[in-house]
Amino acid sequence: MNTPLIETIALTDLHPATDTFLVDVHEGLGQAQKAIPAKYFYDARGSYLFDQITKLEEYYPTRTEMGIMKAHIDAMIERMGPQCLLVEYGSGSSLKTRILLDHLQQPAGYVPIDISKEHLLRSAEALALAYPGLPIRPICADYTTAFQLPDANGARPVVYFPGSTIGNFEPEEARAFLQRIVQIVGAGGGMLIGVDLRKEVPIIEAAYNDAQGVTAAFNKNVLARINSELGGTFDLNCFRHHAFFNATHSRIEMHLESLGDQCVRVADRYFPFRYGETILTEYSYKYTLEAFASLVASAGFEVEKVWMDEDHLFSVQYLVAR
Ligand SMILES: C[S@@+](CC[C@H](N)C(=O)[O-])C[C@H]1O[C@@H](n2cnc3c(N)ncnc32)[C@H](O)[C@@H]1O
């Protein structure tokens, strides 16, 4: 963890300040349904735990998406075209990105964007070693906010948004996010996106309730962060991970449930919890192809192509801005 970063990697750091974290936690815990935004899962430990989740037997999305990418990479690359600037939102470990980088024709550069700074830099460093000569310009930012992309000598940006991270947005937020991407790629520009599909509930619920408890540790990591960064007094043993599929809204809901009546302090504010009361920590929407097509259409995109695995668990889609 302490090796010096490769000098060629210049990080643009627009990382949200700690006081934003405090304001969001105070506001979220003050609501009738207590909630903490999912983006706060991701410090170095949260990113590590997410990577562990992706390797779990129950967690079908990552291996399925990888399989779709590998099976259809030529068709994807043809649509993305030569000399593009690959811009990835929520890049994490950039593992699926390597499938693209192995095939893209003379990419102008790679811009990974992620909120988890240390993990972003380590991933960029690993990519720089694997792809010498590829300009890599990581941006540590909250991608729900507006920010400038680096100028890459006028290269055409193509956006990559894998992992069904789009599912973490509520539909209105997803629309606003996609509208910003339309502005970035411009008319005729493209976006390659991974979208998890609606399917039998037991398959979905198992993916968020693994037997080893890694997802539970990931969920509780946000409490650990509040304790260490904001002076919180959460006892992690007094909360349990609870994830279920809400069929009405077609989404997984991840909560932390209080195992007793208790009071928790975060900085200068106290928050009472009743037995069984929950903190909502994440949504993960599961789309039908029709619902997703209608969402992207409302944001100014058209679905040009959908690739799926044979069981139709997951989709990778190429969207074109109108
Ligand atoms: C579900 S993980 C997906 C990681 C990777 N793209 C994959 O497919 O395995 C979501 C990623 O988005 C990042 N992230 C979550 N919310 C974010 C935000 N608001 N701004 C920037 N990055 C965010 C996390 O740090 C994490 O790396």
Side-chain angles (χ1 to χ4, degrees), residues 80 82-89 108-109 111 149-150 152 154-160 181-192 318-319:
M80 297 171 87
Q83 289 144 16
C84 69
L85 177 69
L86 185 65
V87 179
E88 180 172 358
Y89 287 77
V111 181
L149 289 180
R156 177 177 52 87
V158 173
V159 167
Y160 184 42
I181 305 296
V182 166
Q183 297 305 314
I184 287 168
V185 298
M191 174 181 201
L192 187 70
Y318 195 74
L319 314 180

Side-chain angles (χ1 to χ4, degrees), residues 39 42 50 88 90-92 96 114-116 141-144 162-163 165:
K39 63 186 178 190
Y42 297 98
F50 180 76
E88 180 172 358
S91 49
K96 293 162 201 156
D114 207 287
I115 204 163
S116 186
D142 178 347
Y143 55 49
T144 60
T165 308

Side-chain angles (χ1 to χ4, degrees), residues 2 44 49 52 58 115 177 211 216 230 233 245 253 260 305 313:
N2 292 324
L49 287 169
Q52 300 309 305
E58 296 94 331
I115 204 163
F177 175 79
L230 304 179
T233 62
F245 188 68
E253 295 191 9
K305 180 73 189 165
L313 297 177

